[in-house]
Each structure stands twice: as C-alpha cells, then as structure tokens.
C-alpha cells in the first residue's frame, strides 16, 4: 500500500519530511488522474462567463465577497482536503456500521443482474433517494439548518455547486450511504458517467437560464434548477430533482420559471460570508430551534384585576 493510506502516526513522527513528501506525491498523482474533473469545472465556468458576456450582465458580481467565498469552497474541493481528512474516514465508518448493524438492508439479488441493468438501478434509485432527501432538507426545519448555506448565495454561479458546510456534507453522505448499502450491486459507475453527472451539477448552477425544452419534464436543466434557488414566492421549496426532474412532476413539487427575473438567496436571513463562520451555521441554527422550543413565553398582560 502506498500514498496517504500507508501513513501511520509512527511513520510521521519518525520521518516528518518523508511523510510530507508522501502527501505531496499523493496529491500530485490525484491531480493528474483527475484532469477530467478540473477540465469540466473550467468548461462550465467558461460557459457561464460566455452567457454573461452575451447577455451583457454586470461582471462585477464575480468580484463580490459571496462569489469569492464560493471560490474558497471550490479550491478546497479541488485540493480534496475535506475529502481526505473527513469524508473518507466518515465514509468508511458509515459503511462498516451498516455492514455490521444493518446487514438485513442488503438486496443481494440485484448483483445477479446484467451490468447495464445494475447501472440503471444505481442511477434511478439513487436519484429517487436524492429527490426525497433534498425535499426533506427544505421541509424539515431541523434538516434545513444543514442545507441553507448552499442557498445563501445571491449571485448563483458554477462554484456555488461546492457551497456546503462540512456538517451538511457528512449528513448528506450518511443519507446517501443507505441506498448504496441496500442495493449491494457489483457494478460501479464508469468514470465517464461520473464525469457527466458532475458536469451536469456544475452547469445547472451556472445561472445560464438554459432550458432543455420538452426534455425539462425528464431531466433537470439549468433553468429548472435556478427556479429551485429562486427566493420568489412561487418558487420557494420547489424543483428538488437532482438529475431527473420527473420526480417533481410526479409528486407535485414542480414550479414553472415564469417571466419574472429570478432573485437568489435566503428569505429573511443573511449568513456570514466567511468560510469558518459558515461552518457554524448548522450548529447555531439548531441551537436557536432548541431555544424556541424550550423557552416558554410569558403570559400575556391583561391589565389590572377587577
């Protein structure tokens, strides 16, 4: 075993310089292997910028504090610091826990199906789960505290894709681990499909207004997802779909874009535009909900007794 997973505390203490070189080498190899990831981010950003130029939008929004914060989220995603330090260990713990304590969740019969059928099942079941999880994130005041940071961006852009607190990512990751544990399929999504799905998520945050026309009823387009980020009254808590928009049409959560210009951001709340402070947003939100439920309001003053 080589790379980051080969490091042990004893190795780091005995040879800190050598251990640092292992980390640098591992990161360099991962960057080289994920050229497709960085390429698609640049392509999506170029698309968004081109549309801004064509529509003669004010490009000064790219120098706003909120967009610069999205860049911080993006850089952290590119370097995989959060992924290696937190998400990978948490993922291993969740997987082991499900295997140990909930083996009854497994549906092993799916592994006997052809690979193409397993891929279709993985995609559809996971996207269906994403729809309901995303819907819960908005309809539950508790779960909303984890998700609202993603909706705090008032200048929607490609890098808003990565605007999510570490706690939110952990909670979402734990949720998505359930369908993965249930299916127990042998097939793994090819890199080409993963790249396409990632590019799709970047494009739908590009604020391009691009519609897929009749295909909007099946797939989530940028126009469809921009409605989800809109803070206009008809658009609140609508259009939850991840890749497939059909779930919103089936379960009554679809909302049309309309003719009015969209406005993004939270309703009646502004979050701090610094990375460290936003990591505390879920904790502060949960504390406020706790106080609302535990503090009993004083009796109304009805005037002096007769």
């Amino acid at each position: 075993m080589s790379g980051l997973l080969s490091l042990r505390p004893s190795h780091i203490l005995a040879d800190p310089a050598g251990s640092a070189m292992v980390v640098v080498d591992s990161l360099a190899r991962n960057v080289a292997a994920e050229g497709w990831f960085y390429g698609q981010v640049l392509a999506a950003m170029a698309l968004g910028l081109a549309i801004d130029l064509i529509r003669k939008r004010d490009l000064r929004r790219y120098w706003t504090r909120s967009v610069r914060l999205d860049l911080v989220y993006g850089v952290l995603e590119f370097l995989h610091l959060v992924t290696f330090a937190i998400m990978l260990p948490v993922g291993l713990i969740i997987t082991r826990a499900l295997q140990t304590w909930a083996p009854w969740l497994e549906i092993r019969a799916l592994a006997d199906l052809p690979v193409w059928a397993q891929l279709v099942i993985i995609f559809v079941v996971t996207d269906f789960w994403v729809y309901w999880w995303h819907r819960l994130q908005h309809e539950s005041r508790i779960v909303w505290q984890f998700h609202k940071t993603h909706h705090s961006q008032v200048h929607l852009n490609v890098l808003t894709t990565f605007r999510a607190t570490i706690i939110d990512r952990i909670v979402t990751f734990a949720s998505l681990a359930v369908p993965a544990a249930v299916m127990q399929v042998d097939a793994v999504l090819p890199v080409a499909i993963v790249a396409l799905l990632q590019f799709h998520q970047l494009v739908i945050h590009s604020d391009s207004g691009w519609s897929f026309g009749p295909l909007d009823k099946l797939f989530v387009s940028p126009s469809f997802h921009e409605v989800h980020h809109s803070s206009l009254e008809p658009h609140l808590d609508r259009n939850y779909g991840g890749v497939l928009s059909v779930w919103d049409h089936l379960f009554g959560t679809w909302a049309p874009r309309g003719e009015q210009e969209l406005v993004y951001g939270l309703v009646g709340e502004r979050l701090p535009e610094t990375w460290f402070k936003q990591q505390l947003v879920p904790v502060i939100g949960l504390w406020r909900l706790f106080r609302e439920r535990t503090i009993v309001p004083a009796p109304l003053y009805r005037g002096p007794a007769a």
Side-chain angles (χ1 to χ4, degrees), residues 74-218:
V75 169
L76 290 174
E77 187 68 23
F78 301 155
L79 296 177
H80 300 305
L81 296 179
V82 175
T83 301
F84 282 135
I86 299 176
M87 301 306 297
L88 181 59
V90 169
L92 293 174
I93 293 172
I94 293 173
T95 301
R96 180 60 60 86
L98 288 172
Q99 291 173 345
T100 304
W101 302 104
W104 46 270
L105 285 173
E106 298 177 2
I107 304 177
R108 298 181 180 275
L110 298 180
D112 298 328
L113 297 175
V115 172
W116 67 266
Q118 293 185 40
L119 291 175
V120 171
I121 291 172
I122 292 173
F123 171 71
V124 174
V125 172
T126 301
D127 197 72
F128 181 70
W129 187 273
V130 165
Y131 167 82
W132 285 105
W133 171 250
H134 197 181
R135 185 168 173 173
L136 179 66
Q137 286 179 307
H138 283 256
E139 295 183 353
S140 166
R141 293 186 67 195
I142 293 177
V143 187
W144 170 247
Q145 305 309 315
F146 298 93
H147 183 58
K148 65 182 179 182
T149 299
H150 180 66
H151 282 267
S152 63
Q153 177 58 274
V154 296
H155 301 292
L156 193 66
N157 66 92
V158 169
L159 295 178
T160 305
T161 307
F162 307 119
R163 178 182 279 233
T165 65
I166 294 175
I167 298 177
D168 181 32
R169 293 186 63 182
I170 292 174
V171 173
T172 299
F173 187 88
S175 170
L176 293 177
V178 176
V182 169
M183 287 185 286
Q184 280 293 304
V185 296
D186 292 333
V188 178
L189 289 178
V191 172
I193 296 179
V194 174
L196 181 61
L197 295 176
Q198 179 64 63
F199 185 70
H200 171 262
Q201 289 301 305
L202 292 166
V203 170
I204 65 176
H205 287 91
S206 63
D207 194 21
S208 64
W210 183 21
S211 170
F212 296 160
L215 289 179
D216 268 10
K217 293 184 178 181
L218 182 60

Side-chain angles (χ1 to χ4, degrees), residues 44-52 54-55 57 61-62 156-158 200 202-212 221-226 257 262 264:
M45 292 176 66
L47 173 64
L49 180 59
I51 291 174
D52 284 345
I54 293 172
R55 296 182 177 178
R57 288 175 172 170
R61 72 190 186 107
Y62 288 105
L156 193 66
N157 66 92
V158 169
H200 171 262
L202 292 166
V203 170
I204 65 176
H205 287 91
S206 63
D207 194 21
S208 64
W210 183 21
S211 170
F212 296 160
S221 67
S223 178
F224 182 97
H225 193 66
E226 287 158 17
R257 185 184 184 95
L262 301 185
Y264 302 120

